[in-house]
Amino acid sequence: MSVPEVLSIVLLVTAFGLAMWRDVNVGLVVLPAAFVMSVIADIPKEEVLAGFPADLVVLILGVMYMFGHAQRSGAIDRLVHLMVGLSRGRDWFLPWSMFLVAAALSAIGTLPSATVAVVLPMAMRIARTRGIDPVLMAVVACGGAGVGGFSPLSPWGALVKELAGKLDVAYSPAMLFAGLAALNLVLALIAFFALGGVRLVRDSRVRRATAQEGEVPVLRGAAPATPYETGSLIGLGLFVIAVLGFGVSVSFVAFLTGLILQLVFRPDTRRVVAELPWSVVLLTSGIMVYVGVLERTGTLKALSGHLGGIDSTLLAVLAVSYLAALFATVESSTVAVLGVVVPLAAAVLPHADRSQFTVLLIAVCATIGAVAISPLHLGGGLILANTEEADTPRVFRRLMAWSVGAALVLPPALLVLPLATGL
């Protein structure tokens, strides 16, 4: 590899290291690194900025603008409360109610990290109230966010599409969504039974059998709906119909829905703007700009040659999967991990057909999602933040054990997927 190619990798690793060490947004580090590389490799400034993902940024801001209204108005809490009410004392169903809510929110466009931030506090409160293991509740709930995370409407799905377009590789967004949804459901079932789900089912049966009729309410009734909440629910419904039924632009409909709610119900504009996910926008933009620099310096092509030099394609796939697991375990943002790993996956199979590359993405992204419960990740951090202080050390150990176990076991286990396509 040439000196600029080696330096581009060193700078990227250094950027991630600095971001974790000083708890700085990765985007704030990789953007300056991109311009440093542009000087070293003599890349025109215009070509560096050409990597800015304008469409993706607009999508993220639009969707989160709309869902910010839904959260602020109480519409999201209403949906969560309705799912909880369906359990009617069946405590084993409560983790799955959170799973379903998280899956639905992510599938219709909520940033999965935002979905976790919305659902997890409620899920952990329910766990404390009903005596459910907080790790079981958290892992299953976060699994739901992963089920919808790669929906064609989701920012994660849009990021993969953007990267695939830049790398000129074909894949099936619908197959990626369906495959990862199925794998996330399987992993959530494994977590449920491995972390005490059988005991929870048994205890729920005993509790219902001994309780008097009508004595099993889970939560108090929700407060009457406000006009703002009702309008938000209607807006979310129309958003789904417009996007799925008529193929209207997700960004356009999201911004329009949010604007109508803003004009009609007039929440504090400054708070609405301040609460948009600017940190995610910065991170995504920085990663995408740096990926463009990696392309222009020839680093991705060089990596492709080295990974392609591995005698077995399956070993190369395994190497990428383990790299993905490592990044996802220590990096707090799945967006950042995807921005690095998807180009590596394309480098492993430069001549793969549509189905082969899709299956490779499913195997790699499933690993990323499974280990994202790490205490070093956003999901794990939110779990610990909502855990009682006395229980924090135990929850930390179990989350770490789950994420490390997934990082070790899933990459070889999921090799069965690319094998099925004849790789």
Side-chain angles (χ1 to χ4, degrees):
M1 295 179 70
S2 66
V3 172
E5 291 166 357
V6 173
L7 281 177
S8 68
I9 296 175
V10 171
L11 273 177
L12 181 61
V13 173
T14 303
F16 273 80
L18 285 173
M20 289 185 287
W21 178 41
R22 290 298 188 183
D23 193 23
V24 178
N25 187 302
V26 173
L28 287 172
V29 188
V30 295
L31 277 172
F35 284 100
V36 169
M37 277 306 307
S38 71
V39 174
I40 294 173
D42 194 26
I43 303 172
K45 181 181 66 175
E46 294 76 15
E47 292 186 17
V48 176
L49 292 176
F52 182 81
D55 292 344
L56 185 56
V57 167
V58 172
L59 172 67
I60 292 173
L61 291 177
V63 168
M64 296 313 299
Y65 177 46
M66 178 183 67
F67 275 98
H69 284 291
Q71 172 66 15
R72 192 174 295 102
S73 69
I76 299 298
D77 288 340
R78 174 74 57 178
L79 295 174
V80 171
H81 184 90
L82 289 174
M83 293 303 301
V84 170
L86 292 175
S87 70
R88 298 192 59 79
R90 297 176 178 86
D91 285 356
W92 63 266
F93 180 72
L94 291 173
W96 295 107
S97 69
M98 297 296 98
F99 177 95
L100 292 172
V101 171
L105 290 177
S106 292
I108 62 175
T110 311
L111 192 69
S113 57
T115 295
V116 171
V118 168
V119 172
L120 203 53
M122 174 68 76
M124 299 301 279
R125 181 168 72 84
I126 294 170
R128 289 194 298 270
T129 301
R130 304 300 295 177
I132 300 172
D133 187 327
V135 179
L136 184 156
M137 174 66 84
V139 173
V140 173
C142 291
V147 163
F150 288 88
S151 156
L153 305 180
S154 168
W156 285 2
L159 176 60
V160 173
K161 183 177 181 180
E162 180 96 8
L163 287 166
K166 284 181 174 294
L167 299 167
D168 196 26
V169 291
Y171 78 105
S172 168
M175 184 178 171
L176 178 65
F177 173 41
L180 284 170
L183 279 175
N184 275 284
L185 175 58
V186 170
L187 290 172
L189 285 168
I190 292 172
F192 180 78
F193 289 108
L195 298 173
V198 174
R199 180 189 59 80
L200 190 59
V201 172
R202 184 177 63 249
D203 291 350
S204 296
R205 288 176 177 173
V206 172
R207 188 174 299 159
R208 285 178 60 82
T210 56
Q212 296 180 6
E213 184 177 357
E215 202 176 280
V216 291
V218 177
L219 293 175
R220 294 179 180 178
T226 64
Y228 188 15
E229 178 186 328
T230 302
S232 297
L233 289 170
I234 293 172
L236 290 177
L238 293 175
F239 166 78
V240 173
I241 293 171
V243 172
L244 298 183
F246 297 95
V248 184
S249 165
V250 174
S251 304
F252 172 78
V253 179
F255 267 117
L256 181 60
T257 303
L259 177 61
I260 292 172
L261 292 172
Q262 184 77 43
L263 294 174
V264 173
F265 300 105
R266 302 177 64 187
D268 187 341
T269 302
R270 290 172 296 182
R271 287 189 59 189
V272 170
V273 174
E275 292 172 1
L276 289 173
W278 297 111
S279 62
V280 175
V281 169
L282 179 60
L283 186 150
T284 303
S285 302
I287 289 293
M288 293 297 292
V289 167
Y290 201 87
V291 167
V293 170
L294 291 176
E295 288 179 319
R296 287 164 177 79
T297 56
T299 305
L300 293 180
K301 186 176 181 180
L303 285 174
S304 174
H306 285 289
L307 289 173
I310 298 177
D311 291 339
S312 169
T313 301
L314 288 179
L315 286 179
V317 170
L318 187 63
V320 172
S321 294
Y322 272 121
L323 282 174
L326 175 63
F327 282 138
T329 300
V330 300
E331 167 53 40
S332 63
S333 170
T334 301
V335 171
V337 178
L338 288 172
V340 174
V341 171
V342 173
L344 290 179
V348 168
L349 296 177
H351 305 297
D353 61 29
R354 185 184 182 89
S355 62
Q356 288 175 330
F357 188 66
T358 304
V359 167
L360 174 58
L361 285 178
I362 291 172
V364 172
C365 293
T367 300
I368 293 172
V371 302
I373 205 74
S374 161
L376 305 177
H377 202 275
L378 173 66
L382 285 172
I383 293 168
L384 293 174
N386 287 279
T387 301
E388 292 182 340
E389 187 175 351
D391 209 22
T392 298
R394 183 186 71 87
V395 173
F396 179 91
R397 289 193 300 270
R398 297 191 75 179
L399 289 177
M400 206 67 198
W402 173 267
S403 59
V404 171
L408 293 174
V409 172
L410 281 181
L414 293 177
L415 280 180
V416 67
L417 298 178
L419 276 172
T421 64
L423 291 177

